[in-house]
Amino acid sequence: MLLLALDTATPAVTVALHDGTRTLAAADEVDARRHGELLLPAVDRVLAEAGAALGDVTGIVVGVGPGPYTGLRVGLMTATAFAAARGIPVHGLCTLDGIAHAAGEAGLEGPFVVATDARRKEVYWARYADARTRLGDPAVDRPADIAELVAGVPAVGMGARLYADTFTGVRGDLPEHVCAAALAALAAERLAAGTGADGEAGGEAVGFLPPLPLYLRRPDARVPANYKVVTPR
């Protein structure tokens, strides 16, 4: 097993190579405006550091979000292109699950919540019974609307840090963004356990998701409802 994992659903551009037991190499850079520019060079660096080639990879792991429209597509399109070119599977994972897994590896025990910045003064968030068990589907909400649900509960992620008055149990010592190394480790666990696309959320560890973007809302960019046609017909 040699898994190439990547995620661009948060401001982090993150890539890792995992052999099913440990992370061989990883690259993480936070820059919300340069996902497309940074991702492929990061893949090259990770492969070179591990002494591997894309032809050695047996599977692709990609975070499917939730995340902003443009950044999220960069990782997903790259992952599906690699998988198609090599004829290997691509395993989608919820980005919030990757953050939860990293928090668990850092010693956090459940229950807790994970929240990332959704912009527009909103957060993408989900509740966890523990680092491997998400309770229900991810959601997007204004922090004030979920204050009673998250107050005092240990919270991880940039969304929780941005709205610490709502996420009063925020853990500043734990990851702000997803890291591909955690996604790869989580995928390796699920592959080893034989958990696939039929996994269900809530009480059971979720399985892999299709490599499709989990937006949760409409994109910021929209075609104007009433625009003037200036080209000849």
Side-chain angles (χ1 to χ4, degrees), residues 3-7 14-18 23-28 42 46 61 179-184:
L3 300 174
L4 177 65
L6 51 95
D7 193 296
T14 178
V15 179
L17 196 66
H18 197 285
T23 300
L24 303 179
D28 303 278
V46 165
V61 180
C179 67
L183 279 177

Side-chain angles (χ1 to χ4, degrees), residues 19-199:
D19 68 359
T21 302
R22 63 188 181 93
T23 300
L24 303 179
D28 303 278
E29 187 167 354
V30 178
D31 191 327
R33 297 181 179 275
R34 300 173 64 209
H35 292 95
E37 180 181 345
L38 297 174
L39 182 58
L40 290 180
V43 171
D44 286 341
R45 289 197 306 274
V46 165
L47 291 172
E49 182 180 338
L54 188 59
D56 300 323
V57 173
T58 61
I60 307 293
V61 180
V62 63
V64 302
Y69 185 78
T70 303
L72 182 53
R73 289 188 303 164
V74 172
L76 283 165
M77 293 302 99
T78 302
T80 54
F82 283 161
R86 292 286 305 127
I88 56 178
V90 55
H91 308 294
L93 288 173
C94 174
T95 295
L96 301 182
D97 290 356
I99 298 175
H101 190 80
E105 289 182 330
L108 181 62
E109 299 180 354
F112 61 88
V113 298
V114 174
T116 60
D117 183 16
R119 304 175 186 174
R120 302 186 194 173
K121 299 182 179 180
E122 293 178 331
V123 293
Y124 298 119
W125 71 289
R127 289 182 288 187
Y128 290 80
D130 54 54
R132 293 172 174 80
T133 311
R134 174 160 41 84
L135 302 173
D137 295 326
V140 57
D141 288 291
R142 289 184 176 273
D145 294 339
I146 58 173
E148 293 185 3
L149 299 175
V150 303
V153 179
V156 186
M158 178 55 77
R161 293 192 187 191
L162 286 173
Y163 300 99
D165 53 339
T166 296
F167 294 89
T168 56
V170 62
R171 291 284 301 271
D173 58 320
L174 295 176
E176 290 183 356
H177 307 299
V178 68
C179 67
L183 279 177
L186 180 58
E189 281 189 10
R190 292 179 179 176
L191 287 168
T195 303
D198 292 331

